[in-house]
Amino acid sequence: MTTVVSGAQIAAARALTGVSQARLAARAGLDLQTLRQLEANGHGPLDVTAEVESVLRALDDFGVLFIDDGDGFGSGVRLKFSRKEAKAIGAWEDEGGIVGDDDVP
């Protein structure tokens, strides 16, 4: 996943999904301070690092779609799903047990 993304987009994506910094950091396998530093970078593009890639994967899991800068409208974020679907997915994600890979092909 090689998307040009900014710290502001990560913060906006997190706010859009209602996910806390602590939860996103845990899902991405990062410490909280690393995520805070990424978000604090503002509107400039972040270098593509393993940390950024893991945050993007985690946000993808939460249903975020990053919008590239194009057609003069600028970059942004939106949900892949409707709010109702995203809320249901969030509830399913929090149901008991250890998070693991699906066995479904």
Side-chain angles (χ1 to χ4, degrees):
M1 178 180 299
T2 56
T3 301
V4 176
V5 66
S6 70
Q9 280 179 285
I10 291 172
R14 189 178 51 74
L16 184 63
T17 59
V19 174
S20 69
Q21 283 183 324
R23 186 170 176 202
L24 178 56
R27 175 67 68 92
L30 302 175
D31 63 85
L32 184 56
Q33 187 58 32
T34 300
L35 178 61
R36 287 181 175 158
Q37 289 171 343
L38 290 174
E39 287 188 4
N41 277 316
H43 294 284
L46 294 169
D47 292 332
V48 178
T49 62
E51 290 85 4
V52 170
E53 291 285 338
S54 66
V55 169
L56 295 179
R57 278 191 300 276
L59 287 167
D60 183 68
D61 290 345
F62 285 118
V64 171
L65 180 66
F66 286 89
I67 302 166
D68 290 330
D69 188 5
D71 296 332
F73 291 109
S75 57
V77 295
R78 72 173 186 86
L79 295 175
K80 292 183 198 179
F81 313 104
S82 70
R83 289 193 186 277
K84 184 178 178 181
E85 291 169 324
K87 187 174 182 176
I89 291 167
W92 299 329
E93 288 287 329
D94 292 334
E95 290 182 0
I98 298 172
V99 175
D101 293 332
D102 291 333
D103 292 335
V104 180

